[in-house]
Amino acid sequence: MRTRHMLSLLIPLLAVVGCQGQKSTSELIADLKSGPEKDRLIAARLLQNRKSDAATVVPALIEALKDKSDDVRLSSAIGLGYYGDDAKAAIPALKELEKDSDARIREAAGVAMSRIDPSIPKPTPSTVKARKK
């Protein structure tokens, strides 16, 4: 019985401690700008959920579209699409990304632009393939 009681006290404590490990938006942006590739990728993926911080996140994701890692560029393009109209400033950079050598990135850029500006059509497999350098 004593073990069960201790476990019932320990589990909520672990949950509280685990919740404190969440990084702030500014910490994620710092990781996105200069960290190991794994940290940059995680940051790009987590920042898409920080819509209340769009004013600081969108410029960081736009800058990350130039990252040397294909996966970071891909995740940044996808993330920008989640910001919709708040990411209008990303359209020129996303248009440049349509020339990327990776078809996944070209497609993500096209989808992101269509989410940001619904008047831009979503890419089709033939248009993604045709955009290759």
Side-chain angles (χ1 to χ4, degrees):
M1 193 64 135
R2 183 177 222 171
T3 304
R4 191 180 305 171
H5 180 68
M6 290 297 285
L7 282 175
S8 67
L9 293 174
L10 184 60
I11 291 174
L13 177 64
L14 290 174
V16 169
V17 171
C19 290
Q20 292 176 353
Q22 188 175 16
K23 290 189 174 186
S24 70
T25 299
S26 59
E27 289 171 321
L28 289 172
I29 290 172
D31 286 350
L32 183 64
K33 290 183 178 185
S34 61
E37 181 178 349
K38 178 183 173 191
D39 291 346
R40 294 191 321 270
L41 180 58
I42 290 169
R45 291 181 178 174
L46 291 175
L47 284 169
Q48 71 187 23
N49 300 317
R50 304 292 173 101
K51 291 182 182 68
S52 62
D53 297 328
T56 55
V57 172
V58 168
L61 288 174
I62 292 170
E63 185 62 30
L65 294 175
K66 299 174 191 169
D67 196 278
K68 61 187 174 198
S69 165
D70 291 348
D71 291 331
V72 173
R73 290 194 314 277
L74 174 67
S75 294
S76 298
I78 292 168
L80 285 163
Y82 283 96
Y83 282 89
D85 194 54
D86 290 336
K88 283 227 186 242
I91 289 180
L94 289 165
K95 283 187 185 217
E96 279 300 309
L97 217 56
E98 289 185 309
K99 300 172 189 171
D100 197 278
S101 61
D102 188 325
R104 300 171 309 142
I105 296 171
R106 293 192 305 271
E107 181 179 15
V111 170
M113 286 189 294
S114 71
R115 288 181 174 176
I116 293 166
D117 182 352
S119 70
I120 297 173
K122 285 185 181 181
T124 62
S126 61
T127 59
V128 170
K129 188 175 183 179
R131 291 179 182 148
K132 189 173 181 182
K133 283 183 178 180

